[in-house]
mmCIF file of all heavy atoms in Angstrom:
data_model
loop_
_atom_site.group_PDB
_atom_site.id
_atom_site.type_symbol
_atom_site.label_atom_id
_atom_site.label_comp_id
_atom_site.label_asym_id
_atom_site.label_seq_id
_atom_site.Cartn_x
_atom_site.Cartn_y
_atom_site.Cartn_z
ATOM 1 N N ALA B 126 30.001 -10.243 18.115
ATOM 2 C CA ALA B 126 31.277 -10.801 17.650
ATOM 3 C C ALA B 126 31.037 -11.925 16.655
ATOM 4 O O ALA B 126 31.710 -12.011 15.609
ATOM 5 C CB ALA B 126 32.085 -11.298 18.839
ATOM 6 N N ILE B 127 30.029 -12.779 16.953
ATOM 7 C CA ILE B 127 29.739 -13.896 16.044
ATOM 8 C C ILE B 127 29.248 -13.377 14.699
ATOM 9 O O ILE B 127 29.664 -13.853 13.632
ATOM 10 C CB ILE B 127 28.699 -14.849 16.678
ATOM 11 C CG1 ILE B 127 29.263 -15.463 17.955
ATOM 12 C CG2 ILE B 127 28.298 -15.936 15.708
ATOM 13 C CD1 ILE B 127 28.257 -16.266 18.714
ATOM 14 N N ILE B 128 28.353 -12.367 14.753
ATOM 15 C CA ILE B 128 27.808 -11.812 13.496
ATOM 16 C C ILE B 128 28.941 -11.257 12.640
ATOM 17 O O ILE B 128 29.017 -11.519 11.423
ATOM 18 C CB ILE B 128 26.781 -10.707 13.804
ATOM 19 C CG1 ILE B 128 25.523 -11.297 14.423
ATOM 20 C CG2 ILE B 128 26.410 -9.949 12.540
ATOM 21 C CD1 ILE B 128 24.562 -10.256 14.945
ATOM 22 N N LEU B 129 29.857 -10.496 13.279
ATOM 23 C CA LEU B 129 30.944 -9.888 12.498
ATOM 24 C C LEU B 129 31.860 -10.964 11.912
ATOM 25 O O LEU B 129 32.275 -10.875 10.749
ATOM 26 C CB LEU B 129 31.733 -8.924 13.375
ATOM 27 C CG LEU B 129 30.986 -7.628 13.698
ATOM 28 C CD1 LEU B 129 31.809 -6.748 14.605
ATOM 29 C CD2 LEU B 129 30.630 -6.884 12.421
ATOM 30 N N ALA B 130 32.159 -12.009 12.717
ATOM 31 C CA ALA B 130 33.029 -13.075 12.203
ATOM 32 C C ALA B 130 32.364 -13.792 11.030
ATOM 33 O O ALA B 130 32.998 -14.056 9.997
ATOM 34 C CB ALA B 130 33.353 -14.059 13.322
ATOM 35 N N ALA B 131 31.057 -14.095 11.183
ATOM 36 C CA ALA B 131 30.351 -14.796 10.108
ATOM 37 C C ALA B 131 30.309 -13.945 8.852
ATOM 38 O O ALA B 131 30.537 -14.446 7.734
ATOM 39 C CB ALA B 131 28.940 -15.148 10.569
ATOM 40 N N SER B 132 30.054 -12.642 9.024
ATOM 41 C CA SER B 132 29.953 -11.785 7.831
ATOM 42 C C SER B 132 31.305 -11.671 7.142
ATOM 43 O O SER B 132 31.379 -11.688 5.907
ATOM 44 C CB SER B 132 29.435 -10.411 8.221
ATOM 45 O OG SER B 132 30.363 -9.765 9.056
ATOM 46 N N ALA B 133 32.385 -11.566 7.940
ATOM 47 C CA ALA B 133 33.707 -11.494 7.319
ATOM 48 C C ALA B 133 34.014 -12.769 6.554
ATOM 49 O O ALA B 133 34.563 -12.722 5.448
ATOM 50 C CB ALA B 133 34.769 -11.244 8.388
ATOM 51 N N SER B 134 33.621 -13.914 7.129
ATOM 52 C CA SER B 134 33.913 -15.175 6.418
ATOM 53 C C SER B 134 33.071 -15.287 5.158
ATOM 54 O O SER B 134 33.541 -15.784 4.136
ATOM 55 C CB SER B 134 33.693 -16.358 7.352
ATOM 56 O OG SER B 134 32.471 -16.973 7.104
ATOM 57 N N ILE B 135 31.809 -14.802 5.209
ATOM 58 C CA ILE B 135 30.976 -14.836 3.994
ATOM 59 C C ILE B 135 31.606 -13.978 2.901
ATOM 60 O O ILE B 135 31.675 -14.371 1.734
ATOM 61 C CB ILE B 135 29.549 -14.334 4.313
ATOM 62 C CG1 ILE B 135 28.806 -15.333 5.191
ATOM 63 C CG2 ILE B 135 28.758 -14.108 3.031
ATOM 64 C CD1 ILE B 135 27.475 -14.820 5.667
ATOM 65 N N ALA B 136 32.106 -12.786 3.280
ATOM 66 C CA ALA B 136 32.626 -11.875 2.266
ATOM 67 C C ALA B 136 33.998 -12.319 1.764
ATOM 68 O O ALA B 136 34.255 -12.297 0.558
ATOM 69 C CB ALA B 136 32.715 -10.463 2.837
ATOM 70 N N LEU B 137 34.884 -12.739 2.680
ATOM 71 C CA LEU B 137 36.263 -13.028 2.264
ATOM 72 C C LEU B 137 36.379 -14.379 1.572
ATOM 73 O O LEU B 137 37.324 -14.603 0.812
ATOM 74 C CB LEU B 137 37.190 -12.981 3.469
ATOM 75 C CG LEU B 137 37.260 -11.623 4.172
ATOM 76 C CD1 LEU B 137 38.218 -11.662 5.329
ATOM 77 C CD2 LEU B 137 37.663 -10.538 3.204
ATOM 78 N N HIS B 138 35.439 -15.315 1.839
ATOM 79 C CA HIS B 138 35.440 -16.589 1.115
ATOM 80 C C HIS B 138 34.543 -16.537 -0.117
ATOM 81 O O HIS B 138 34.218 -17.574 -0.667
ATOM 82 C CB HIS B 138 34.962 -17.722 2.024
ATOM 83 C CG HIS B 138 35.992 -18.129 3.029
ATOM 84 N ND1 HIS B 138 35.798 -19.146 3.921
ATOM 85 C CD2 HIS B 138 37.211 -17.654 3.272
ATOM 86 C CE1 HIS B 138 36.864 -19.272 4.684
ATOM 87 N NE2 HIS B 138 37.736 -18.377 4.311
ATOM 88 N N GLY B 139 34.141 -15.323 -0.498
ATOM 89 C CA GLY B 139 33.164 -15.202 -1.571
ATOM 90 C C GLY B 139 33.568 -15.869 -2.862
ATOM 91 O O GLY B 139 32.717 -16.298 -3.626
ATOM 92 N N GLN B 140 34.883 -15.972 -3.122
ATOM 93 C CA GLN B 140 35.307 -16.590 -4.381
ATOM 94 C C GLN B 140 35.422 -18.101 -4.254
ATOM 95 O O GLN B 140 35.643 -18.779 -5.252
ATOM 96 C CB GLN B 140 36.623 -15.976 -4.858
ATOM 97 C CG GLN B 140 37.874 -16.476 -4.164
ATOM 98 C CD GLN B 140 38.086 -15.784 -2.829
ATOM 99 O OE1 GLN B 140 37.192 -15.204 -2.274
ATOM 100 N NE2 GLN B 140 39.285 -15.858 -2.313
ATOM 101 N N LEU B 141 35.255 -18.649 -3.026
ATOM 102 C CA LEU B 141 35.389 -20.094 -2.811
ATOM 103 C C LEU B 141 34.072 -20.758 -2.457
ATOM 104 O O LEU B 141 33.778 -21.864 -2.924
ATOM 105 C CB LEU B 141 36.391 -20.365 -1.683
ATOM 106 C CG LEU B 141 37.812 -19.895 -1.910
ATOM 107 C CD1 LEU B 141 38.626 -20.103 -0.652
ATOM 108 C CD2 LEU B 141 38.432 -20.648 -3.055
ATOM 109 N N THR B 142 33.286 -20.117 -1.607
ATOM 110 C CA THR B 142 32.034 -20.710 -1.129
ATOM 111 C C THR B 142 30.899 -19.727 -1.392
ATOM 112 O O THR B 142 31.153 -18.558 -1.672
ATOM 113 C CB THR B 142 32.120 -20.973 0.389
ATOM 114 O OG1 THR B 142 32.502 -19.754 1.026
ATOM 115 C CG2 THR B 142 33.117 -22.042 0.714
ATOM 116 N N PRO B 143 29.640 -20.193 -1.313
ATOM 117 C CA PRO B 143 28.520 -19.275 -1.531
ATOM 118 C C PRO B 143 28.640 -18.040 -0.647
ATOM 119 O O PRO B 143 28.995 -18.134 0.527
ATOM 120 C CB PRO B 143 27.305 -20.105 -1.153
ATOM 121 C CG PRO B 143 27.711 -21.481 -1.448
ATOM 122 C CD PRO B 143 29.180 -21.566 -1.172
ATOM 123 N N GLY B 144 28.330 -16.902 -1.212
ATOM 124 C CA GLY B 144 28.450 -15.649 -0.474
ATOM 125 C C GLY B 144 29.172 -14.637 -1.322
ATOM 126 O O GLY B 144 29.416 -14.861 -2.495
ATOM 127 N N GLY B 145 29.502 -13.517 -0.713
ATOM 128 C CA GLY B 145 30.180 -12.467 -1.456
ATOM 129 C C GLY B 145 30.049 -11.152 -0.725
ATOM 130 O O GLY B 145 29.650 -11.123 0.440
ATOM 131 N N GLY B 146 30.414 -10.079 -1.410
ATOM 132 C CA GLY B 146 30.456 -8.780 -0.771
ATOM 133 C C GLY B 146 29.112 -8.321 -0.254
ATOM 134 O O GLY B 146 28.998 -7.885 0.886
ATOM 135 N N PHE B 147 28.072 -8.409 -1.097
ATOM 136 C CA PHE B 147 26.775 -7.896 -0.667
ATOM 137 C C PHE B 147 26.213 -8.735 0.476
ATOM 138 O O PHE B 147 25.704 -8.198 1.457
ATOM 139 C CB PHE B 147 25.799 -7.877 -1.841
ATOM 140 C CG PHE B 147 24.555 -7.102 -1.541
ATOM 141 C CD1 PHE B 147 24.526 -5.735 -1.727
ATOM 142 C CD2 PHE B 147 23.439 -7.727 -1.039
ATOM 143 C CE1 PHE B 147 23.395 -5.010 -1.421
ATOM 144 C CE2 PHE B 147 22.303 -7.011 -0.727
ATOM 145 C CZ PHE B 147 22.281 -5.643 -0.926
ATOM 146 N N GLN B 148 26.338 -10.060 0.354
ATOM 147 C CA GLN B 148 25.827 -10.937 1.405
ATOM 148 C C GLN B 148 26.519 -10.653 2.722
ATOM 149 O O GLN B 148 25.871 -10.510 3.772
ATOM 150 C CB GLN B 148 26.044 -12.403 1.018
ATOM 151 C CG GLN B 148 25.140 -12.915 -0.074
ATOM 152 C CD GLN B 148 25.724 -12.728 -1.461
ATOM 153 O OE1 GLN B 148 26.486 -11.798 -1.709
ATOM 154 N NE2 GLN B 148 25.363 -13.603 -2.376
ATOM 155 N N GLY B 149 27.851 -10.567 2.686
ATOM 156 C CA GLY B 149 28.605 -10.304 3.907
ATOM 157 C C GLY B 149 28.299 -8.926 4.473
ATOM 158 O O GLY B 149 28.145 -8.762 5.685
ATOM 159 N N GLY B 150 28.177 -7.928 3.589
ATOM 160 C CA GLY B 150 27.894 -6.576 4.051
ATOM 161 C C GLY B 150 26.530 -6.475 4.708
ATOM 162 O O GLY B 150 26.388 -5.834 5.754
ATOM 163 N N ALA B 151 25.522 -7.131 4.114
ATOM 164 C CA ALA B 151 24.183 -7.093 4.705
ATOM 165 C C ALA B 151 24.194 -7.782 6.062
ATOM 166 O O ALA B 151 23.533 -7.339 7.008
ATOM 167 C CB ALA B 151 23.181 -7.764 3.769
ATOM 168 N N THR B 152 24.970 -8.883 6.187
ATOM 169 C CA THR B 152 25.053 -9.564 7.472
ATOM 170 C C THR B 152 25.764 -8.691 8.495
ATOM 171 O O THR B 152 25.340 -8.594 9.649
ATOM 172 C CB THR B 152 25.787 -10.900 7.316
ATOM 173 O OG1 THR B 152 25.223 -11.595 6.212
ATOM 174 C CG2 THR B 152 25.654 -11.746 8.559
ATOM 175 N N ALA B 153 26.848 -8.033 8.059
ATOM 176 C CA ALA B 153 27.597 -7.193 8.994
ATOM 177 C C ALA B 153 26.761 -6.017 9.462
ATOM 178 O O ALA B 153 26.924 -5.554 10.593
ATOM 179 C CB ALA B 153 28.879 -6.698 8.336
ATOM 180 N N ALA B 154 25.852 -5.519 8.609
ATOM 181 C CA ALA B 154 25.048 -4.361 8.986
ATOM 182 C C ALA B 154 24.089 -4.693 10.121
ATOM 183 O O ALA B 154 23.588 -3.787 10.786
ATOM 184 C CB ALA B 154 24.265 -3.854 7.778
ATOM 185 N N VAL B 155 23.824 -6.002 10.351
ATOM 186 C CA VAL B 155 22.947 -6.377 11.463
ATOM 187 C C VAL B 155 23.619 -6.054 12.800
ATOM 188 O O VAL B 155 22.940 -5.723 13.770
ATOM 189 C CB VAL B 155 22.576 -7.875 11.358
ATOM 190 C CG1 VAL B 155 21.768 -8.317 12.549
ATOM 191 C CG2 VAL B 155 21.796 -8.135 10.094
ATOM 192 N N ALA B 156 24.971 -6.115 12.851
ATOM 193 C CA ALA B 156 25.677 -5.903 14.115
ATOM 194 C C ALA B 156 25.469 -4.486 14.662
ATOM 195 O O ALA B 156 25.024 -4.341 15.810
ATOM 196 C CB ALA B 156 27.157 -6.225 13.938
ATOM 197 N N PRO B 157 25.734 -3.403 13.894
ATOM 198 C CA PRO B 157 25.435 -2.068 14.426
ATOM 199 C C PRO B 157 23.966 -1.857 14.734
ATOM 200 O O PRO B 157 23.628 -1.168 15.703
ATOM 201 C CB PRO B 157 25.909 -1.118 13.324
ATOM 202 C CG PRO B 157 26.164 -1.939 12.144
ATOM 203 C CD PRO B 157 26.437 -3.317 12.605
ATOM 204 N N LEU B 158 23.102 -2.488 13.928
ATOM 205 C CA LEU B 158 21.663 -2.377 14.185
ATOM 206 C C LEU B 158 21.321 -2.936 15.560
ATOM 207 O O LEU B 158 20.611 -2.310 16.356
ATOM 208 C CB LEU B 158 20.914 -3.135 13.089
ATOM 209 C CG LEU B 158 19.431 -3.374 13.318
ATOM 210 C CD1 LEU B 158 18.700 -2.056 13.256
ATOM 211 C CD2 LEU B 158 18.878 -4.331 12.304
ATOM 212 N N VAL B 159 21.866 -4.133 15.866
ATOM 213 C CA VAL B 159 21.614 -4.757 17.159
ATOM 214 C C VAL B 159 22.177 -3.888 18.280
ATOM 215 O O VAL B 159 21.551 -3.702 19.328
ATOM 216 C CB VAL B 159 22.227 -6.174 17.167
ATOM 217 C CG1 VAL B 159 22.272 -6.726 18.572
ATOM 218 C CG2 VAL B 159 21.427 -7.092 16.283
ATOM 219 N N ILE B 160 23.369 -3.307 18.051
ATOM 220 C CA ILE B 160 23.972 -2.444 19.076
ATOM 221 C C ILE B 160 23.080 -1.233 19.329
ATOM 222 O O ILE B 160 22.831 -0.855 20.478
ATOM 223 C CB ILE B 160 25.385 -2.009 18.623
ATOM 224 C CG1 ILE B 160 26.324 -3.211 18.631
ATOM 225 C CG2 ILE B 160 25.935 -0.928 19.548
ATOM 226 C CD1 ILE B 160 27.708 -2.888 18.145
#
Side-chain angles (χ1 to χ4, degrees):
Chain B
I127 297 173
I128 291 171
L129 288 178
S132 65
S134 101
I135 290 173
L137 298 181
H138 285 182
Q140 79 279 18
L141 298 174
T142 53
F147 192 85
Q148 287 90 330
T152 311
V155 175
L158 168 68
V159 167
I160 291 177

